[in-house]
Amino acid sequence: MDSDYTLSREDWSLHRKGILDQERHRAKVEEAIRKNLADIVSQESIIMADGQKVIKVPIRSLEEYRLRFDPAKGQNAGQGQGGSQPGAVLGREASRGGGGAGDEPGSDYYEAEITVDELAEILFAELELPNLDDLNRRRIPAEGVDFRSVGKVGLTSNLDKKRTLLEAIKRAARHGGAVPGAIAREDVRFRVWEEVERAQTAALVVAMMDTSGSMGDFEKYVARSFFTWLVRFLRSRYRSVELVFLAHSTEAKEVSEEEFFTKGESGGTKCSSVYRLAMEIVAQRYGRGLGINIYPFHFSDGDNLASDNQRALEAARELLDVARLFGYGEVRSDSSPRHTLLSLFREMGDPRLKTAEIWEKADIHRALRAFLGKEGLPR
Amino acid sequence: MKKEEIPLLEEAIGRIAEVAARMGLDAPPMRFEICPPDIVYTLGAYGGMPTRFAHWSFGKAYNRMKTQYDFALSRIYELVINTDPCYAYLLDQNSLIQNKLVVAHVYAHADFFKHNLHYARTRRDMLETMSRTAAVLRDYEFIHGKERVEKLLDAGLAIQGQIDPWFREEAERPGNIEEQPSCPYADLWGEDATRSREGGDPPKKTKEIPEARDLLLALVRYARHLEDWEKDVLSLLRDEMLYFRPQITTKIANEGWATYWHQRLLRELDLTEAETVEYSLLNSRIVQPPGMSLNPYLVGLRLFEDIERRYDRTEDGPGGRTAADGEDEPLFADGREAIFALRETENDCSLLRNFLTKELVEELDLYLYAKMGDKWVVTEKEWEKVRDGLVLDLTDGGFPAVEVVDVDHEGKGTLALRHLYDGRELHLRHLEKTLDQVQSLWRRTVQLETVVDGRTKTFACDGNRSYSF
């Protein structure tokens, strides 16, 4: 054999094959997540997680299906580190998560890893605060910079190549030549930026939650996970959104965000109390709410004291008068009473009053879309 | 690899090539390329082929490999592809001595590619072929839309394992065996041929389908509702698998051969003390016993070493199987000759079936395991059963054997498939989803007969629903 060989080290920096197909894979993961949002959004592990936390989302549609043997049925060949005896336990189902190699027995489906923030991005792409009033915009000075004009002096990094070339062509044309020669100093153009003020619409969101004794674990869980996503959404999308947290049983009180999400109470339910408190806060702090868009959201099991229903409706009507949108979510189960606040609210037929029924976890996503879905979305 | 180390590596390659040739390894011209890790992982995801077509599943593989690399869970040291000239990619991050080991390892792989008969029909210009395939697919994407091409590839890749590497067209097949009495096994063949003439075929087969064991080819030939370009794509996928198949079925033999030789070639180099330590470290990592799945490097290495020892002449005369098997003359002159001959003829199945011994099964701690409740438990250590279980696992590259029984079942245009049950049951969710994919190609009902919990069962998919009976 003649020793015919070469050794080389080429520039591979433009070899982007893997990255491109990874993008496509990524897009498919997002698509699958979007289709399963309802299930993913209501997962317990996500609700209280911070944005950087990586969550694993099982995605069946991205598995590469093949005709293959089922390792769980029958025997497989393996190799140990010496002295394995029949009966030796090699592993358990639950502990076999690591590595994620597709050919390992036990790894049943493909799990995509995304951060909560990435998941939120996918979810929030279809949400907005509806009926925002443009008239009430506050101007926020010097929010950022925008390239808005062209100048003859500037930083090299802001060189506007296209305009520079055009200038060169024009100059050449002025002197009778069709083809531009070298680019002269006078041809060079730069993009020039200006500081811009952006208008921001201010909004106040009143988060109201029933913490009465009739709110069981599931009801509280649903309300909390809805509000968690709501708060996350508002903070990520709107710079000037103020949040007020109100908890109520027969009496309402303002609580801190942390208390709102962690504490439970007991007692009966009077929804009028919380609507009144909301009105008071609006009146005190925002002068009957004329300068701000108000969005009250209320979660309850609907089991309001019958004697309070009329008062609650009146209070809700008052609140509606100042609100852009009032979202009412009712967590229902088979044992819910037939006539609840939900049926009363529905009878009102006010388009700014949106209601959502929640029977199971997946309905949390439906509620988010019912309240905040962009127009044109299938509800 | 530091810049100043590259000439040193080049010098070492020359030395390794020289020693390899002296010891009998015969590799095609070698093209070594030093790559950053990112590229090695990309290539790994694409089966080593930088020119392969685009598909999201490669992106998924890339993503997984890269994550494992980033978290230092695993590392690819080398990639070599079966081409002429033979391309090998060396990792930039490897030290000089690590890359020396890799070069020696790769020389043996290249020798194996060139000489093992299972590779005899693989295309050595596969890089160019794959590049053309990728271009053709890009054209089809342009004409028929990305989505259709991707769906078609999804379906084709789902059954890419279901090909028959031994399929030959009528004209290519060897002539009638009876006309060649010179063949030493003519009596065996003759008996077989007589039996099949007497109608000893499985009774269920309505008519002989030459492509029965090659589902992809059968679809290309019999799927009436596939458009020509779709058939073309399936053919291209089949060609790719024909190329990859020997690498799957000779994993243990090939890695064993390469490990055997990197150890011996490195001994011939003048290594410094530090280099020897580093080499030993990497070498021991390569051949370390695994957790549960087989380490092909270790199993293959021990097999070749054991075979060599068995055929080596001892002080008492020739070694090997002369005495035990009652052979007058040893099959091979010595151990070296034996392993060189076997690297030409064997794949993993035959190597293990013929040469795995009780002692090796014990030394390598091979076993069979099964799932009991929620636990994975060692169930078998008896060496012959372990060997047979191992051989079964490796048969057909680990792909379940499925044959096409009928392409117009009951006159309804149904594609009838049968899993050739050998005691191992199929993964049902995968089966159903794969049938969906086959149905998307066949466009009429597709059914597959298999065994579930000991009972024969047929799964079917008509495009709207899946059912079984």
Side-chain angles (χ1 to χ4, degrees), chain B residues 182-198:
Chain B
S182 59
C183 171
Y185 302 111
D187 54 338
L188 291 174
W189 288 106
E191 203 177 309
D192 201 43
T194 318
R195 207 188 316 135
S196 68
R197 266 205 309 277
E198 284 163 1

mmCIF file of all heavy atoms in Angstrom, chain B residues 182-198:
data_model
loop_
_atom_site.group_PDB
_atom_site.id
_atom_site.type_symbol
_atom_site.label_atom_id
_atom_site.label_comp_id
_atom_site.label_asym_id
_atom_site.label_seq_id
_atom_site.Cartn_x
_atom_site.Cartn_y
_atom_site.Cartn_z
ATOM 1 N N SER B 182 -20.202 -27.986 -9.081
ATOM 2 C CA SER B 182 -18.893 -27.767 -8.473
ATOM 3 C C SER B 182 -19.049 -27.193 -7.058
ATOM 4 O O SER B 182 -18.157 -27.307 -6.226
ATOM 5 C CB SER B 182 -18.080 -26.804 -9.337
ATOM 6 O OG SER B 182 -18.793 -25.588 -9.447
ATOM 7 N N CYS B 183 -20.200 -26.558 -6.801
ATOM 8 C CA CYS B 183 -20.399 -25.949 -5.496
ATOM 9 C C CYS B 183 -20.424 -27.029 -4.414
ATOM 10 O O CYS B 183 -21.193 -27.995 -4.515
ATOM 11 C CB CYS B 183 -21.715 -25.168 -5.482
ATOM 12 S SG CYS B 183 -22.169 -24.606 -3.838
ATOM 13 N N PRO B 184 -19.605 -26.899 -3.392
ATOM 14 C CA PRO B 184 -19.501 -27.976 -2.402
ATOM 15 C C PRO B 184 -20.790 -28.207 -1.623
ATOM 16 O O PRO B 184 -20.983 -29.267 -1.044
ATOM 17 C CB PRO B 184 -18.381 -27.504 -1.472
ATOM 18 C CG PRO B 184 -18.306 -26.037 -1.678
ATOM 19 C CD PRO B 184 -18.715 -25.793 -3.097
ATOM 20 N N TYR B 185 -21.669 -27.231 -1.622
ATOM 21 C CA TYR B 185 -22.894 -27.406 -0.833
ATOM 22 C C TYR B 185 -24.096 -27.676 -1.738
ATOM 23 O O TYR B 185 -25.233 -27.468 -1.354
ATOM 24 C CB TYR B 185 -23.160 -26.157 0.014
ATOM 25 C CG TYR B 185 -22.018 -25.842 0.942
ATOM 26 C CD1 TYR B 185 -21.242 -24.708 0.727
ATOM 27 C CD2 TYR B 185 -21.700 -26.693 1.985
ATOM 28 C CE1 TYR B 185 -20.167 -24.431 1.561
ATOM 29 C CE2 TYR B 185 -20.631 -26.425 2.814
ATOM 30 C CZ TYR B 185 -19.868 -25.290 2.607
ATOM 31 O OH TYR B 185 -18.823 -25.020 3.423
ATOM 32 N N ALA B 186 -23.805 -28.145 -2.963
ATOM 33 C CA ALA B 186 -24.877 -28.313 -3.942
ATOM 34 C C ALA B 186 -25.995 -29.198 -3.414
ATOM 35 O O ALA B 186 -27.172 -28.965 -3.674
ATOM 36 C CB ALA B 186 -24.329 -28.897 -5.236
ATOM 37 N N ASP B 187 -25.592 -30.212 -2.647
ATOM 38 C CA ASP B 187 -26.611 -31.139 -2.149
ATOM 39 C C ASP B 187 -27.624 -30.409 -1.260
ATOM 40 O O ASP B 187 -28.824 -30.624 -1.359
ATOM 41 C CB ASP B 187 -25.972 -32.308 -1.414
ATOM 42 C CG ASP B 187 -25.035 -31.856 -0.325
ATOM 43 O OD1 ASP B 187 -24.554 -30.674 -0.393
ATOM 44 O OD2 ASP B 187 -24.776 -32.607 0.601
ATOM 45 N N LEU B 188 -27.107 -29.509 -0.444
ATOM 46 C CA LEU B 188 -28.008 -28.764 0.438
ATOM 47 C C LEU B 188 -28.961 -27.902 -0.370
ATOM 48 O O LEU B 188 -30.157 -27.871 -0.147
ATOM 49 C CB LEU B 188 -27.191 -27.868 1.372
ATOM 50 C CG LEU B 188 -26.374 -28.592 2.426
ATOM 51 C CD1 LEU B 188 -25.507 -27.604 3.169
ATOM 52 C CD2 LEU B 188 -27.292 -29.326 3.384
ATOM 53 N N TRP B 189 -28.392 -27.204 -1.320
ATOM 54 C CA TRP B 189 -29.216 -26.310 -2.136
ATOM 55 C C TRP B 189 -30.238 -27.113 -2.936
ATOM 56 O O TRP B 189 -31.388 -26.711 -3.056
ATOM 57 C CB TRP B 189 -28.352 -25.499 -3.099
ATOM 58 C CG TRP B 189 -27.554 -24.455 -2.412
ATOM 59 C CD1 TRP B 189 -26.233 -24.475 -2.162
ATOM 60 C CD2 TRP B 189 -28.049 -23.234 -1.867
ATOM 61 N NE1 TRP B 189 -25.848 -23.349 -1.505
ATOM 62 C CE2 TRP B 189 -26.951 -22.560 -1.307
ATOM 63 C CE3 TRP B 189 -29.310 -22.645 -1.801
ATOM 64 C CZ2 TRP B 189 -27.071 -21.336 -0.701
ATOM 65 C CZ3 TRP B 189 -29.423 -21.424 -1.203
ATOM 66 C CH2 TRP B 189 -28.314 -20.781 -0.648
ATOM 67 N N GLY B 190 -29.745 -28.214 -3.480
ATOM 68 C CA GLY B 190 -30.606 -29.034 -4.323
ATOM 69 C C GLY B 190 -31.826 -29.494 -3.562
ATOM 70 O O GLY B 190 -32.960 -29.392 -4.034
ATOM 71 N N GLU B 191 -31.575 -29.891 -2.331
ATOM 72 C CA GLU B 191 -32.664 -30.368 -1.497
ATOM 73 C C GLU B 191 -33.706 -29.259 -1.308
ATOM 74 O O GLU B 191 -34.896 -29.481 -1.427
ATOM 75 C CB GLU B 191 -32.087 -30.752 -0.138
ATOM 76 C CG GLU B 191 -32.918 -31.747 0.631
ATOM 77 C CD GLU B 191 -32.217 -32.107 1.921
ATOM 78 O OE1 GLU B 191 -31.028 -32.468 1.845
ATOM 79 O OE2 GLU B 191 -32.847 -31.990 2.970
ATOM 80 N N ASP B 192 -33.169 -28.080 -1.056
ATOM 81 C CA ASP B 192 -34.029 -26.932 -0.825
ATOM 82 C C ASP B 192 -34.853 -26.618 -2.072
ATOM 83 O O ASP B 192 -36.044 -26.385 -1.995
ATOM 84 C CB ASP B 192 -33.154 -25.728 -0.456
ATOM 85 C CG ASP B 192 -33.967 -24.695 0.271
ATOM 86 O OD1 ASP B 192 -34.752 -25.098 1.142
ATOM 87 O OD2 ASP B 192 -33.799 -23.510 -0.037
ATOM 88 N N ALA B 193 -34.161 -26.644 -3.212
ATOM 89 C CA ALA B 193 -34.844 -26.310 -4.465
ATOM 90 C C ALA B 193 -35.954 -27.318 -4.754
ATOM 91 O O ALA B 193 -37.043 -26.956 -5.200
ATOM 92 C CB ALA B 193 -33.849 -26.302 -5.621
ATOM 93 N N THR B 194 -35.686 -28.590 -4.457
ATOM 94 C CA THR B 194 -36.696 -29.626 -4.700
ATOM 95 C C THR B 194 -37.928 -29.353 -3.846
ATOM 96 O O THR B 194 -39.050 -29.419 -4.301
ATOM 97 C CB THR B 194 -36.139 -31.011 -4.317
ATOM 98 O OG1 THR B 194 -34.803 -31.090 -4.789
ATOM 99 C CG2 THR B 194 -36.971 -32.112 -4.933
ATOM 100 N N ARG B 195 -37.635 -28.993 -2.582
ATOM 101 C CA ARG B 195 -38.750 -28.771 -1.678
ATOM 102 C C ARG B 195 -39.655 -27.647 -2.178
ATOM 103 O O ARG B 195 -40.859 -27.753 -2.180
ATOM 104 C CB ARG B 195 -38.238 -28.461 -0.271
ATOM 105 C CG ARG B 195 -39.245 -28.873 0.784
ATOM 106 C CD ARG B 195 -38.850 -28.414 2.161
ATOM 107 N NE ARG B 195 -37.438 -28.637 2.461
ATOM 108 C CZ ARG B 195 -36.679 -27.719 3.033
ATOM 109 N NH1 ARG B 195 -37.167 -26.547 3.335
ATOM 110 N NH2 ARG B 195 -35.412 -27.995 3.294
ATOM 111 N N SER B 196 -39.026 -26.580 -2.651
ATOM 112 C CA SER B 196 -39.851 -25.452 -3.067
ATOM 113 C C SER B 196 -40.604 -25.792 -4.356
ATOM 114 O O SER B 196 -41.699 -25.296 -4.582
ATOM 115 C CB SER B 196 -39.000 -24.194 -3.249
ATOM 116 O OG SER B 196 -38.152 -24.357 -4.346
ATOM 117 N N ARG B 197 -40.032 -26.678 -5.180
ATOM 118 C CA ARG B 197 -40.762 -27.073 -6.387
ATOM 119 C C ARG B 197 -42.002 -27.888 -6.033
ATOM 120 O O ARG B 197 -43.004 -27.870 -6.714
ATOM 121 C CB ARG B 197 -39.855 -27.897 -7.307
ATOM 122 C CG ARG B 197 -39.151 -27.072 -8.369
ATOM 123 C CD ARG B 197 -38.777 -27.901 -9.575
ATOM 124 N NE ARG B 197 -38.057 -29.113 -9.226
ATOM 125 C CZ ARG B 197 -36.739 -29.170 -8.996
ATOM 126 N NH1 ARG B 197 -36.034 -28.078 -9.050
ATOM 127 N NH2 ARG B 197 -36.158 -30.303 -8.704
ATOM 128 N N GLU B 198 -41.875 -28.612 -4.928
ATOM 129 C CA GLU B 198 -42.999 -29.444 -4.528
ATOM 130 C C GLU B 198 -44.086 -28.649 -3.805
ATOM 131 O O GLU B 198 -45.015 -29.212 -3.250
ATOM 132 C CB GLU B 198 -42.511 -30.585 -3.616
ATOM 133 C CG GLU B 198 -41.816 -31.689 -4.411
ATOM 134 C CD GLU B 198 -41.000 -32.582 -3.512
ATOM 135 O OE1 GLU B 198 -41.010 -32.342 -2.274
ATOM 136 O OE2 GLU B 198 -40.346 -33.485 -4.024
#
